[in-house]
Amino acid sequence: MEHPVSDTLPPVGGSIQPAVRVLDARLASLIDPGAPLVRLADGCIWSEGPVWLPHEQALQWSDIPNDRAMRWKDGAGAEVERHPNDFTNGNTLDREGRVIHCEHGNRRVARTELDGTRIPLVERHGDGRLNSPNDVVVAHDGAIWFTDPPYGILFPEEGHPAPMEQAGCFVYRLDPETGEIAAVAENVRHPNGLAFSPDESILYVADTYWAVDKTADRPIYAFDVVDGHRLANQRVFAQIDPGPADGFRVDIHGNLWTSAHDGIHVLAPDGHELGRILVPEITSNCVFGGPDGRRLFITASSSLYAIEVLVTGAGVAAAVARGEFIA
Ligand code: MG
């Protein structure tokens, strides 16, 4: 994977303004075009997997090649939270506010209990080990949906190189109560970021096959979610340029805030691009957080950034962060 870092970045605490490019007037209800993009932390190699921890009012994220979890808190700045970190990538919250992790190193999905113990949830599908779970989202019924591309067994800086034991790279649905796991999408070459629409009728999945084939397209797919268990009607939702998209989040109105190589692209539910938050490093993901859920934290290469927005996130993790979701 490429991890270029610009040498013209603002210092930690510094900001970039303007950072917002307006492409459609509808963006005005989502973000102030004059909002500054603030650089909150530096010193990472590849930042990804942001999750807002409401009970601690802190942002946790992964610095995968340094094999550490980072934490940022207003007033305290950034610090190392966990090292080694099992080459953890994506993180999210479940309905109880526990953090769900995708571990490249152990090729599994794990959960940190409220007492701080970390337990495995799933390591295998059928007869083989998973590839290297990358990103994860929890549905309102408690099911854990995650993607399983090969980067943790392909790139030594992201895990432990090893043969693939699955027939491909799939999207999975895990029932954490029964341990039942099902492959729900088998026709995305390298499934990566994923998120539901607000009513969970649609699942969006990024394909980052471009990481191994620079002639590949860079789609985000949309699927219809059937009975909360299956996917149907795979179609291209958007092609991300410059891209590919890695992780993304959906806001309460159904707009998709996706990472891209030049920052965050804001896409309306019809796929039309409303605007961009231009970030001076290759961007991997974002998450709605902060005291009122209206601060967008952005992981990008060496850094963590944030920008104030006018909307909050959809889904279980964002609802838990707002204190709205009672399991
Ligand atoms: Mg990812």
Side-chain angles (χ1 to χ4, degrees):
M1 301 288 265
E2 301 165 36
H3 303 131
V5 174
S6 167
D7 57 5
T8 58
L9 303 173
V12 171
S15 62
I16 297 166
Q17 189 181 25
V20 178
R21 178 187 293 169
V22 179
L23 298 173
D24 185 299
R26 286 177 283 174
L27 190 72
S29 65
L30 304 177
I31 189 168
D32 175 352
L37 177 72
V38 183
R39 193 176 187 213
L40 298 179
D42 65 358
C44 296
I45 296 177
W46 182 251
S47 295
E48 198 163 347
V51 58
W52 177 252
L53 308 176
H55 18 281
E56 299 165 57
Q57 292 290 295
L59 193 283
Q60 181 182 317
W61 77 100
S62 305
D63 177 12
I64 303 171
N66 282 320
D67 195 16
R68 58 187 186 170
M70 301 298 296
R71 168 182 296 237
W72 176 90
K73 192 167 173 152
D74 207 2
E79 60 182 34
V80 177
E81 167 153 345
R82 188 172 188 264
H83 173 76
N85 192 39
D86 305 304
F87 288 98
T88 295
N89 186 338
N91 301 290
T92 193
L93 297 181
D94 72 4
R95 300 186 303 175
E96 287 77 27
R98 298 171 295 194
V99 184
I100 310 292
H101 313 276
C102 291
E103 297 179 351
H104 283 188
N106 295 319
R107 302 170 67 168
R108 69 187 187 188
V109 176
R111 182 176 69 208
T112 296
E113 305 295 88
L114 297 177
D115 67 3
T117 320
R118 187 141 156 171
I119 64 165
L121 296 180
V122 66
E123 300 174 306
R124 306 180 69 84
H125 168 246
D127 295 330
R129 300 178 71 190
L130 297 171
N131 300 322
S132 52
N134 186 292
D135 212 346
V136 59
V137 65
V138 175
H140 277 82
D141 66 359
I144 296 169
W145 296 62
F146 66 96
T147 57
D148 190 40
Y151 305 124
I153 56 174
L154 203 57
F155 302 123
E157 70 273 23
E158 296 212 6
H160 307 295
M164 185 183 286
E165 298 181 22
Q166 297 294 325
C169 301
F170 305 143
V171 181
Y172 293 100
R173 179 189 185 275
L174 171 71
D175 182 329
E177 300 300 324
T178 65
E180 182 185 346
I181 181 173
V184 290
E186 299 183 341
N187 292 312
V188 181
R189 293 160 298 183
H190 281 185
N192 198 317
L194 77 173
F196 288 106
S197 63
D199 65 359
E200 296 185 355
S201 66
I202 299 170
L203 182 74
Y204 300 101
V205 180
D207 183 351
T208 50
Y209 192 70
W210 184 89
V212 296
D213 178 358
K214 300 298 189 256
T215 68
D217 63 349
R218 291 158 286 185
I220 294 174
Y221 291 105
F223 297 81
D224 295 336
V225 181
V226 181
D227 300 331
H229 280 69
R230 294 184 296 109
L231 298 178
N233 189 22
Q234 178 176 351
R235 67 268 189 193
V236 173
F237 172 71
Q239 294 279 357
I240 304 306
D241 182 24
D246 192 335
F248 44 75
R249 294 294 194 277
V250 171
D251 70 33
I252 50 167
H253 303 304
N255 303 294
L256 194 149
W257 300 60
T258 181
S259 60
H261 276 208
D262 61 346
I264 299 293
H265 298 188
V266 185
L267 306 177
D270 63 5
H272 186 80
E273 185 178 352
L274 304 181
R276 297 184 180 186
I277 302 165
L278 296 171
V279 178
E281 300 181 79
I282 291 180
T283 301
S284 68
N285 209 339
C286 61
V287 69
F288 294 92
D292 64 357
R294 290 183 171 79
R295 181 181 293 162
L296 190 74
F297 291 91
I298 301 168
T299 48
S301 302
S302 74
S303 306
L304 175 71
Y305 295 88
I307 190 166
E308 300 300 322
V309 295
L310 304 174
V311 67
T312 186
V316 167
V320 168
R322 290 191 299 266
E324 293 173 7
F325 198 91
I326 307 297

